[in-house]
Amino acid sequence: MEQHWPAYEAKMKAEGLNDAAIAAFKYNLSVLLSGASTMIPESDIGSVESLPVMESLDVTPDPALLKCTVMLKLNGGLGTGMGLDRAKSLLTVAEGNTFLDLIAKQVSSMKSQYKADLAFMLMNSFSTSADTLAALAKYPELGTGSDLEFVQNKAPKVRADDSTPASWPRDPSHEWCPPGHGDLYPAMLGSGTLDRLLAKGFKYMFVSNSDNLGATMDLKLLTHFASTGAPFMMEVAARTDADKKGGHLAKDAKTGGLLLRESAQCPEEDEKAFQDVSKYKFFNTNNLWVDLVALKGIFEKHGGSIPMPVMKNAKTVDPRDKKSTPVLQLETAMGAAISCFEGATAVVIPRERFAPVKTTNDLLALRSDAYQLTKDFRITLAPERNGVPPTIKLDGRYKFVDAMETLIPEGA
């Protein structure tokens, strides 16, 4: 670490990255260079047998909590897998509304319903910030500038052969990568967002992905979270065979605390157990509730970083040139922070709070009459679907949005 770190530190400082971004990458690099395993074997964990269920929560919703709660959407994705070169949240979903339109209208509707203000923020990426702010300019009540957004960090790619910073002079932008959505926490700290929110009296944060329109601010869940006194709460859903290749919730065999195991952290010999949905019953929806005071406390305890589980992602420095230098991208997942908060908890939610759009199959389903737009601007399954979403499998030629839209020339 002593040998390699000065080159990384100099590179990040020259790029103008803040202290929190540098501290987060330093921790991730130290894990890599220590030789410590980034895997979570079956012997280290146990299953989570039961959790509170949202529909059965016995709480009286408290609108007063909205005054000290911020709703944050992760909006850094470009949707390149769907052939897009701008924020995925700018796609039209229903009745002429984009994801961002619906999110803005949901916030406005909730303010009217509860006669209370509701703070809203976005974590954008360098790629999505300008387009997103332009699209939201028609909703000035959401906020502007640093009250509305902060931008996620970037991290250096690491050469796979000698662990030095990757270099690619013909396009230096390829020397950097997104550090995963676990960057939410250091990006909040480094941008000053966390301290500003705390200074304004905010205590709770609800985080979700901008492409998940099911993840609305729910007063019942907020009240439940506040009543538990837990520092962190993850919304989980019951795993089915369709979810078996994705990550799952588990218990740390040593501490008894909750943790998240992603597929990249599962040793090959444990894959059968990993995919056993009767043993590991719950998956992370990436709808998270965080106590901001507790988050600040973790940063202070660990000298400005959070010791998150690190994932190694093997790539080439130029992703389109498979003969270019092999590199490692060091990434963290924001849900994995559950293992960093002592006393963290989880709650089982109905599937309608988890409706992300990852493919054109998902987008076509949302645009179809299987879903309907409610008066408070949520998209829900039509009653005649009896809770069963449509199954759509488009041919590979319709993988990109522009090709898919030729199937519905009259629009959604």
Side-chain angles (χ1 to χ4, degrees):
M1 187 68 185
E2 292 78 10
Q3 176 190 344
H4 289 295
W5 179 243
Y8 283 103
E9 185 175 34
K11 184 182 180 95
M12 295 182 82
K13 284 185 172 177
E15 196 71 12
L17 293 169
N18 60 55
D19 290 346
I22 293 172
F25 180 76
K26 185 177 185 180
Y27 174 79
N28 294 350
L29 185 68
S30 72
V31 171
L32 174 71
L33 296 179
S34 72
S37 173
T38 56
M39 294 294 177
I40 303 176
E42 198 65 14
S43 55
D44 287 357
I45 59 175
S47 59
V48 178
E49 291 306 316
S50 63
L51 290 168
V53 176
M54 179 181 173
E55 294 95 324
S56 305
L57 295 177
D58 186 17
V59 291
T60 303
D62 182 4
L65 291 169
L66 291 173
K67 294 174 189 168
C68 56
T69 303
V70 60
M71 176 178 170
L72 190 143
K73 287 282 186 180
L74 300 189
N75 192 53
L78 282 180
T80 49
M82 295 165 70
L84 304 173
D85 59 1
R86 58 182 191 147
K88 191 202 298 184
S89 55
L90 294 172
L91 281 170
T92 301
V93 188
E95 297 181 19
N97 292 287
T98 65
F99 286 95
L100 287 177
D101 287 325
L102 291 174
I103 291 165
K105 291 175 180 180
Q106 285 171 0
V107 172
S108 178
S109 173
M110 195 151 196
K111 285 180 179 181
S112 301
Q113 182 182 352
Y114 292 108
K115 311 276 190 294
D117 202 11
L118 174 59
F120 173 77
M121 292 194 81
L122 292 157
M123 181 171 82
N124 284 319
S125 64
F126 291 100
S127 306
T128 61
S129 177
D131 282 349
T132 296
L133 294 182
L136 288 178
K138 58 187 169 186
Y139 303 106
E141 68 278 6
L142 283 183
T144 55
S146 62
D147 286 334
L148 178 60
E149 73 147 12
F150 59 96
V151 177
Q152 71 184 64
N153 297 307
K154 54 185 179 178
K157 294 178 183 178
V158 180
R159 282 184 66 116
D161 57 357
D162 62 7
S163 301
T164 59
S167 175
W168 200 245
R170 75 177 73 161
D171 185 353
S173 70
H174 285 321
E175 298 172 8
W176 302 89
C177 62
H181 44 56
D183 181 57
L184 164 69
Y185 311 111
M188 285 186 75
L189 180 68
S191 64
T193 300
L194 178 57
D195 287 334
R196 279 194 297 273
L197 288 170
L198 289 169
K200 290 177 182 176
F202 288 97
K203 180 170 172 59
Y204 305 113
M205 174 172 70
F206 171 55
V207 193
S208 60
N209 293 337
S210 62
D211 70 350
N212 180 9
L213 289 171
T216 54
M217 168 63 74
D218 187 276
L219 199 50
K220 185 178 179 182
L221 282 172
L222 170 59
T223 306
H224 169 69
F225 177 52
S227 71
T228 64
F232 185 101
M233 182 174 78
M234 176 184 286
E235 293 185 27
V236 299
R239 279 173 109 206
T240 66
D241 275 343
D243 311 304
K244 68 182 182 182
K245 292 187 178 178
H248 65 76
L249 192 67
K251 264 189 180 172
D252 187 314
K254 283 183 186 169
T255 66
L258 296 174
L259 61 79
L260 196 61
R261 180 168 69 164
E262 302 285 357
S263 56
Q265 296 167 303
C266 178
E268 205 172 314
E269 61 270 21
D270 291 337
E271 203 163 301
K272 188 177 178 185
F274 179 92
Q275 295 188 12
D276 183 350
V277 298
S278 65
K279 180 174 186 180
Y280 297 113
K281 302 172 185 174
F282 308 109
F283 73 90
N284 169 31
T285 63
N286 244 20
N287 302 347
L288 306 174
W289 300 81
V290 183
D291 182 315
L292 296 174
V293 177
L295 177 60
K296 177 73 172 177
I298 286 184
F299 276 120
E300 290 172 346
K301 180 180 176 182
H302 295 285
S305 65
I306 299 183
M308 302 258 286
V310 180
M311 291 179 285
K312 294 185 292 188
N313 203 347
K315 302 270 188 179
T316 51
V317 66
D318 180 345
R320 296 190 177 191
D321 180 358
K322 298 308 174 190
K323 292 180 180 176
S324 62
T325 311
V327 295
L328 295 174
Q329 295 182 186
L330 304 183
E331 301 175 4
T332 57
M334 70 174 184
I338 195 168
S339 61
C340 303
F341 289 87
E342 190 175 338
T345 186
V347 60
V348 183
I349 57 161
R351 225 22 201 257
E352 58 255 33
R353 283 187 63 78
F354 181 68
V357 173
K358 303 300 180 192
T359 66
T360 48
N361 297 329
D362 301 329
L363 182 62
L364 186 58
L366 271 190
R367 287 181 175 181
S368 76
D369 59 5
Y371 288 86
Q372 60 187 24
L373 189 61
T374 64
K375 288 180 182 176
D376 55 357
F377 300 100
R378 291 176 301 112
I379 287 188
T380 60
L381 275 170
E384 54 269 27
R385 297 293 311 176
N386 293 316
V388 180
T391 300
I392 296 177
K393 291 185 179 177
L394 296 174
D395 187 271
R397 78 184 83 170
Y398 302 113
K399 177 182 177 184
F400 293 159
V401 173
D402 55 355
M404 182 210 77
E405 288 181 335
T406 64
L407 295 172
I408 45 169
E410 302 300 318

